[in-house]
Amino acid sequence: MDNRQLQIRLGLGAIALSLFLILIAIPNWVSVPSNVPHIVLSPVFWPYTLAGLMGLTGLGLVATGMSQTAGGPPLNEQIEDEKQGYLRLAAIAVIMVVAMAIMAKLGMVWTSMLMFMATVLVLKTRYPIAAFICAVAIPLVLYAFFAHVAGLAIPQGDFVRLP
């Protein structure tokens, strides 16, 4: 399977899953109370948002796949040895276990920052500086939104409290 076929198939799968979520799963299986004060606090807002974004991503994958030429190198060539892949998988598992262990002490925001940075180091991205900026910025922006706009309490740690 070449890159073009893979992108088209992944895009069609994402679109199909998005349509299933929007048309069947969310309306039938997510209950909505009638007295929700803000739309962003509704239990269906974020599932619909994520399902819509998944559909848009699928459309983008299909469009990108259609614009590419057929052929090219096959994608199933082994780039690195199998042992390296298993070590990365084990490292990600350790990161998850450590995240659950330290979240009560550090809080959700600081733990998210540290785990994002650890994941970036394990996965060896081509853009480490951008990834580290995102590791700090995304949890802070999400905290600011949920704590100050939506009015939801985000678990804080024992050491540093955010305003």
Side-chain angles (χ1 to χ4, degrees), residues 39-103:
I39 187 70
V40 294
L41 297 178
S42 173
V44 295
F45 178 76
W46 291 111
Y48 274 128
T49 302
L50 293 175
L53 289 173
M54 184 182 351
L56 288 175
T57 302
L59 287 173
L61 283 169
V62 169
T64 302
M66 294 293 212
S67 68
Q68 293 178 347
T69 59
L75 292 176
N76 57 357
E77 290 182 14
Q78 203 163 1
I79 296 173
E80 59 183 62
D81 63 352
E82 211 171 296
K83 185 178 179 184
Q84 188 74 15
Y86 285 122
L87 286 174
R88 284 186 181 178
L89 183 62
I92 294 294
V94 168
I95 289 171
M96 289 181 198
V97 169
V98 169
M100 298 314 304
I102 66 173
M103 193 168 301

Side-chain angles (χ1 to χ4, degrees), residues 77-151:
E77 290 182 14
Q78 203 163 1
I79 296 173
E80 59 183 62
D81 63 352
E82 211 171 296
K83 185 178 179 184
Q84 188 74 15
Y86 285 122
L87 286 174
R88 284 186 181 178
L89 183 62
I92 294 294
V94 168
I95 289 171
M96 289 181 198
V97 169
V98 169
M100 298 314 304
I102 66 173
M103 193 168 301
K105 290 288 182 192
L106 288 181
M108 191 174 283
V109 177
W110 300 104
T111 302
S112 298
M113 286 181 196
L114 291 174
M115 295 306 112
F116 195 130
M117 288 180 196
T119 304
V120 165
L121 291 174
V122 168
L123 297 180
K124 300 177 186 172
T125 179
R126 282 191 258 174
Y127 308 103
I129 295 172
F132 283 118
I133 291 170
C134 288
V136 173
I138 290 172
L140 286 176
V141 169
L142 287 173
Y143 169 77
F145 172 78
F146 282 106
H148 299 294
V149 176

Side-chain angles (χ1 to χ4, degrees), residues 5-25:
Q5 289 176 336
L6 180 67
Q7 288 202 2
I8 291 172
R9 288 182 184 179
L10 284 174
L12 291 175
I15 292 168
L17 183 59
S18 174
L19 288 174
F20 170 75
L21 289 172
I22 291 171
L23 299 175
I24 297 169

